[in-house]
Amino acid sequence: MTTPRPAAVVVLAAGEGTRMRSATPKVLHTLAGRTMLGHALVAARSLEPELLAVVVRHERDRVAAHALEVDPHVLVADQDDVPGTGRAVQCALGTLEAATRARAVAAGGDDGGALDGPMVVLAGDIPMLDGGTLAELLAAHVADGNAVTVLTTEVEDATGYGRVVRDPATGEVTGIVEHKDADDAQREIREINSSVYVFDGAVLRGALGRLGRDNAQGEVYLTDVLAIARTDGGAVRAVRVDDPWLVEGANDRAQMSVLRAEMNRRIVHEWMVSGVTVVDPATTWIDVEVELEPDATVLPGTQLLGRTTVARDAVVGPDTTLTDVQVGAGAQVVRTHGSSAVIGAGAVVGPFSFLRPGTELGEDGKIGAYVETKNATIGAHSKVPHLSYVGDATIGEHSNVGAGTIFVNYDGVAKSRSTVGDHVRIGSDNAIVAPVRIGDGAYTGAGSVIRQDVPPGSLGINTAPQRTIDGWVLRRREGTPSAQAAAAALRPDVDDDAALSAQARAERARAGRDHD
């Protein structure tokens, strides 16, 4: 059966969330790589509504900007000083109807702005609510011809939640009573309101104008629409979900951590049943937009964040954090921190590597222990095995960078780029001072500072001859353990301090005053 398309979806995101004790609005706190509001907007958009609106107030600009970043087509509705979810939906309805009128006028029709058809309303702080559950709620609403359909669940402890009150004889929903307004009998009810509804557009529009603020919190309750609709003869029904996590919210950081852990547990479980090996699910964290292919392996202590992708037969971990990184088939990434990087098929990275944005490692390449890279393209089969920094550089194929090599890319004012060709051998402890080009098949000597281009097939070397000053330690570090060891090595029969001092004087005289 085709899922009905709603006339509009409204996401409520105006609250402050004071119990979070945070400068960040509650709906902008993240779980699995997406904000609470982001989760709600993705679920809402999956219904393909004609219009989608988000209601904002606290930290209005921040929340609105984020909503538009997640969904550029969302409408932003501002709630005024009147508190309550009912008032929030009133404000949203005004924005939606204005958009409808604008569309009609643009299409050459009349300027009527009334919304017809079902309208979905959901809270912006229930991040595990998915599009499939919303679709089931919407389909039930349309199939039954309801005035209002509410999503509910049962919990062991309903403290703080609105209770769903039913007719004892028929079981139909007669209303929702907020916890602060409930009497003792109503507080025993375990079926709770999820703050997710589908309304008939006309019913909602008519009921909103009749809402008051005569309640314990002095707010305009959206839940009062249910009683009004029932009084007017409309059908008010509930769809109950058996999984309370789908409608679980978070009011403080402790609750957020529990929710975050449950969401991650489900994400990891889904990947495992899809063919991914996760050795230790308890220490593995995977964001919602990560993509993993079957036969990929994730080792303990690994975080796969953002839009990271891991291809078939790749092994990631242990103790690895990747954000927006592409890992090719059969690659191995060990104890590595990486972001906005590409790791080619069969490549090896780590341990203790740092891949900064712009790193691209080619097929069967290697970035080894204690190597940092940034804005670096390293070709297929090329290796940077250990203890090096490669920044703003292009390295060709089948080249090798010796240990301790630094690509000197910054002169204090501007950054420049260096290019290394194919089949190049860069000696250990080199400094490649950008901008330079090292041609195909070239070599550089160990300890060189390469400031000029090295033509193909040439050897670049600029090391100075070694200078050795005999007797320096005996003269300048007299009495130290080093001097004692040197003296013993020079004259094995000299092993006491007095003799050492005498020998030091003799060595000084022999070396001559020019060494002083």
Side-chain angles (χ1 to χ4, degrees), residues 3-11 44-45 47-53 73 75 92-93 95-101 103 113-121 138 141-142 197-205:
T3 301
R5 187 177 183 185
V9 178
V10 176
V11 178
R45 182 58 74 183
L47 296 177
E48 299 183 351
E50 295 287 343
L51 296 170
L52 172 58
H73 302 292
L75 299 173
L93 192 62
T95 298
L96 291 167
E97 291 180 341
T100 302
R101 285 193 295 271
R103 283 187 174 187
L115 288 170
D116 295 321
M119 290 184 59
V120 179
V121 177
L138 179 60
H141 174 87
V142 173
Y197 316 86
V198 184
F199 298 95
D200 176 85
V203 171
L204 179 63
R205 189 166 47 251

Side-chain angles (χ1 to χ4, degrees), residues 97-226:
E97 291 180 341
T100 302
R101 285 193 295 271
R103 283 187 174 187
V105 171
D110 59 37
D111 63 353
L115 288 170
D116 295 321
M119 290 184 59
V120 179
V121 177
L122 64 144
D125 61 354
I126 44 176
M128 292 184 68
L129 179 68
D130 57 66
T133 302
L134 280 177
E136 292 177 8
L137 179 69
L138 179 60
H141 174 87
V142 173
D144 293 344
N146 295 339
V148 184
T149 310
V150 57
L151 190 67
T152 71
T153 193
E154 286 192 3
V155 294
E156 290 296 326
D157 182 3
T159 303
Y161 290 100
R163 306 308 203 277
V164 177
V165 181
R166 294 177 179 266
D167 185 311
T170 65
E172 292 187 2
V173 177
T174 59
I176 295 174
V177 180
E178 297 300 326
H179 179 85
K180 291 184 177 181
D181 300 301
D183 57 32
D184 290 342
Q186 291 169 335
R187 290 187 179 186
E188 293 298 317
I189 298 172
R190 292 170 50 200
E191 186 179 10
I192 63 168
N193 174 29
S194 69
S195 300
V196 182
Y197 316 86
V198 184
F199 298 95
D200 176 85
V203 171
L204 179 63
R205 189 166 47 251
L208 286 174
R210 297 153 63 184
L211 298 179
R213 299 173 59 180
D214 186 17
N215 51 65
Q217 300 186 83
E219 297 182 359
V220 181
Y221 287 159
L222 181 62
T223 50
D224 288 347
V225 171
L226 279 67

Side-chain angles (χ1 to χ4, degrees), residues 23-43:
T24 300
K26 181 171 75 169
V27 294
L28 298 189
H29 283 258
T30 60
L31 303 89
R34 187 182 286 161
T35 63
M36 299 182 82
L37 177 57
H39 285 289
L41 289 172
V42 169

Side-chain angles (χ1 to χ4, degrees), residues 48-109:
E48 299 183 351
E50 295 287 343
L51 296 170
L52 172 58
V54 57
V55 183
V56 298
R57 186 168 189 274
H58 176 69
E59 291 283 353
R60 185 260 181 216
D61 291 344
R62 289 178 65 185
V63 177
H66 178 70
L68 289 166
E69 181 182 353
V70 174
D71 191 325
H73 302 292
V74 71
L75 299 173
V76 177
D78 290 288
Q79 184 171 357
D80 55 23
D81 293 338
V82 178
T85 52
R87 182 56 180 170
V89 175
Q90 285 178 331
C91 295
L93 192 62
T95 298
L96 291 167
E97 291 180 341
T100 302
R101 285 193 295 271
R103 283 187 174 187
V105 171

